[in-house]
Amino acid sequence: DDTDDEDGGRLPALNEGEAADLKKADASQHFTEPPPRYSEASLVKKMEELGIGRPSTYASVLSTLRDRDYVVMEKNRFHPEDKGRLVTIFLEKFFTKYVEYDFTADLEEKLDLVSDGKLEWKALLSEFWRDFHGHIDDVAELRVSEVLDTLNEILGPKIFPPKSDDDGQPANPRLCTMCNDGQLSLKLGRHGAFIGCSNYPECKYTRPFATNGDDAEATTPENKVLGVDPDTSLEVSLRNGRFGPYVQLGEEGKPKRSSIPKGWDAATLDLTQALKLLSLPREVGLHPEDSEPILANLGRYGPYVQHLKTYANLPDPNDVFDIGLNRAVALIAEKRANPGRRGAAQEPLKDLGKHPDSGEPVLVMKGRYGPYVKHQKTNATLPKDIAPEAVTLEQAVELITAKAGAPKKKTAKKAPTKRKAAAKKPATEKPVTTKS
C-alpha cells in the first residue's frame, strides 16, 4: 500500500465475520524504565519550567535538601531519605495549598509586581499571612495520633510491603515479629520517627523507620555478645535500641555506647569494628596554628572533624578512622571560609588565656558594635582607648568582672504615640452647632 499519504497507516475497511489471512506476526518485548532521578542541573531546570524560585534562590534550595538530610547524593543524583519522605507527605496532606506548583509560581509573579512597584508589599504580606496563620492554627489543633494515622495510611504499602507465610499464603505485614500479637505502626520519638509495636510497654519491639520493611528488619539484629575488650576486660555487645542497633561496653553504671553508622551492616559487625566505634572520638592531631586538638567523631548528622567550635562534615563514616592531620586542617579551614547557612562559630581575634577562677578561655571577639572580650556567657565591650591586639588577660578579667557585677539595665517604656494617647482619652461630647 502507498504509505506516503496521511491515511497510509490505516487498516482497510473490515466487516464482522470476514476472513483474514495472516501472513506474518512479529512479537517484540519492551521494558519501560522509570524516569531518571534529578541531578542538580535537571532539578533547577524543572524549577525554572514550573516557575518556582529564581536564580538567587536555587543554590539555597539545593543546599537545604542536603543540610537537612532530606536527600542523599548518589552518583550526582538526588535519592530521597526517610526524613524527606515524611516531611513531603506531611506537607502534601496538611499544607496542600502551599506546596502546589501553581501557588508558588503565582507568589513569584506577585513578588515581581512588588519589585516593579505595581503592588504594595504590605498588602501582599498581609494577605498571605492572614490565610497562612489561620491554617497553622487549624493544623496545630490536630492531635499527634491523627497525624501519625494519616502517615501510617499513606506510607503503609512502603513501610510494610506485602508478606507471605511459609505456605505461600498472604500474611499480615504489620504483625509484630516479637510478640506475634501486636500491630506495628509508625511512632514519633525524641529523635524522630520509628516503627514500634502497639503492645508497648509489654512488647518493646522497635526498628528504625524505613520505606522497606524487609531491609529495615535485616539491619535490626538480636542482642549478642561480640567479645571482650582486651584493655578493660569488659564485654562488648551488639544491641537493638529504640533508634536502631548500637554497640555497648560493659553493663554497670553508664556503659559507653556508640550507634552503628549509616552504611555499616549491623548483622556482620565484628569485635574489631565495635572497638573502633567505642574508641571514638579519635584525636587526629594538634592544629598547627594554636596546638588545640582536632577530633574525629560520629554525630547525629554523620561523621565530622572538630576543632574548637568549628565542625566540618566528612563524606564517609570510615574517614573518621583514617583521616590525617593535613586533610582535617584543610577541611576545618574550608568550613571557616564557607560556613554556609547554619554557619560555624565565629573565630576569636585573640585568645588571652584561661580565666583565673573558672579556667575557661577568655577571648577577644569582633562584634557588630566593636571589639569585646568574652568569657563563657559574659561579654564586655572594650574601651576605645584599648586596642584589641593590645588588651591583656588582666584587663579583660577586670572588664568581665565589672560587667558580670553590674546591675541589668531596665528598658525604659516608650512614650505612647499621639494616636494611642488620643485613643486612651475619654470621649468628650462636642457642642452641636447649627447653621441658620
Side-chain angles (χ1 to χ4, degrees):
D1 294 336
D2 185 8
T3 58
D4 292 338
D5 60 352
E6 60 181 10
D7 296 332
R10 296 186 180 182
L11 292 172
L14 296 175
N15 299 318
E16 184 178 356
E18 185 176 349
D21 296 331
L22 178 63
K23 295 183 178 180
K24 184 181 180 183
D26 294 328
S28 61
Q29 189 175 19
H30 176 68
F31 294 95
T32 59
E33 294 184 359
R37 294 189 179 275
Y38 285 113
S39 64
E40 290 189 354
S42 60
L43 183 57
V44 169
K45 183 179 179 181
K46 187 65 175 178
M47 292 170 65
E48 290 177 342
E49 293 176 358
L50 296 172
I52 299 174
R54 53 192 66 201
S56 60
T57 63
Y58 293 149
S60 62
V61 169
L62 298 179
S63 63
T64 298
L65 292 175
R66 290 187 291 262
D67 293 344
R68 297 185 182 179
D69 297 328
Y70 292 155
V71 298
V72 63
M73 298 298 292
E74 295 180 6
K75 297 181 179 180
N76 295 325
R77 299 283 179 176
F78 290 105
H79 290 257
E81 289 281 71
D82 299 333
K83 185 191 294 186
R85 293 181 185 274
L86 279 177
V87 172
T88 301
I89 292 174
F90 175 79
L91 292 177
E92 287 181 344
K93 189 66 180 178
F94 298 102
F95 290 87
T96 309
K97 169 186 173 182
Y98 299 98
V99 295
E100 288 179 344
Y101 298 142
D102 294 342
F103 175 82
T104 308
D106 180 62
L107 188 59
E108 291 287 348
E109 291 180 2
K110 291 181 179 179
L111 292 174
D112 290 336
L113 294 177
V114 171
S115 300
D116 296 339
K118 300 177 180 178
L119 182 63
E120 177 63 30
W121 67 271
K122 290 184 178 180
L124 174 61
L125 289 181
S126 177
E127 177 187 358
F128 169 80
W129 182 248
R130 183 179 62 252
D131 297 339
F132 186 63
H133 188 269
H135 191 82
I136 289 178
D137 291 340
D138 293 340
V139 176
E141 293 178 359
L142 295 175
R143 300 180 63 183
V144 176
S145 57
E146 296 180 64
V147 178
L148 289 178
D149 289 343
T150 302
L151 296 176
N152 261 314
E153 180 181 353
I154 299 174
L155 286 173
K158 294 184 179 180
I159 304 177
F160 309 105
K163 298 174 65 175
S164 57
D165 55 20
D166 296 336
D167 298 331
Q169 300 297 322
N172 181 8
R174 292 178 180 261
L175 183 65
C176 178
T177 57
M178 182 175 291
C179 65
N180 292 321
D181 179 53
Q183 296 292 307
L184 300 180
S185 63
L186 184 67
K187 298 183 180 296
L188 190 64
R190 185 175 59 182
H191 300 287
F194 66 98
I195 307 300
C197 181
S198 59
N199 287 338
Y200 179 84
E202 288 77 14
C203 178
K204 296 185 178 181
Y205 174 87
T206 59
R207 64 172 170 83
F209 168 74
T211 54
N212 187 308
D214 295 336
D215 292 344
E217 291 188 8
T219 59
T220 309
E222 297 295 331
N223 297 345
K224 65 178 180 180
V225 176
L226 299 176
V228 177
D229 180 14
D231 296 332
T232 61
S233 299
L234 296 175
E235 282 189 347
V236 179
S237 56
L238 174 65
R239 297 166 179 257
N240 176 30
R242 182 177 181 181
F243 307 106
Y246 64 93
V247 290
Q248 177 175 307
L249 179 64
E251 293 284 349
E252 298 181 358
K254 291 185 177 180
K256 189 170 185 179
R257 296 173 177 176
S258 178
S259 299
I260 308 299
K262 192 173 182 179
W264 286 33
D265 186 2
T268 59
L269 192 77
D270 56 22
L271 178 62
T272 303
Q273 292 173 308
L275 291 176
K276 276 187 174 184
L277 294 174
L278 292 169
S279 67
L280 296 175
R282 165 180 166 256
E283 183 174 324
V284 180
L286 301 180
H287 199 284
E289 295 179 0
D290 54 15
S291 299
E292 291 292 334
I294 297 178
L295 304 177
N297 201 359
L298 295 170
R300 181 179 179 184
Y301 301 105
Y304 65 90
V305 288
Q306 173 194 356
H307 173 247
L308 297 178
K309 294 184 179 181
T310 302
Y311 297 81
N313 295 332
L314 295 173
D316 189 346
N318 293 316
D319 291 342
V320 173
F321 309 104
D322 303 329
I323 189 171
L325 181 60
N326 292 337
R327 186 185 171 205
V329 170
L331 288 174
I332 293 292
E334 182 181 350
K335 182 65 175 180
R336 286 172 179 162
N338 302 286
R341 181 180 58 81
R342 292 183 179 178
Q346 180 185 356
E347 282 302 300
L349 299 176
K350 186 179 179 182
D351 189 345
L352 300 177
K354 296 182 178 180
H355 196 284
D357 296 334
S358 65
E360 295 293 324
V362 178
L363 307 173
V364 181
M365 310 295 291
K366 180 181 179 182
R368 181 178 180 184
Y369 303 104
Y372 63 94
V373 289
K374 177 181 179 64
H375 170 248
Q376 294 180 338
K377 295 184 178 181
T378 304
N379 300 333
T381 305
L382 279 179
K384 293 182 179 180
D385 58 345
I386 301 180
E389 58 274 6
V391 65
T392 64
L393 178 61
E394 291 75 16
Q395 292 174 318
V397 170
E398 290 180 5
L399 293 170
I400 289 170
T401 303
K403 179 69 174 180
K408 294 184 178 180
K409 294 182 179 180
K410 294 184 178 180
T411 57
K413 293 184 178 180
K414 293 183 178 180
T417 61
K418 291 182 179 180
R419 181 179 298 178
K420 290 184 177 179
K424 291 183 178 180
K425 289 182 179 179
T428 57
E429 293 184 2
K430 293 183 179 180
V432 178
T433 58
T434 58
K435 288 184 180 181
S436 58

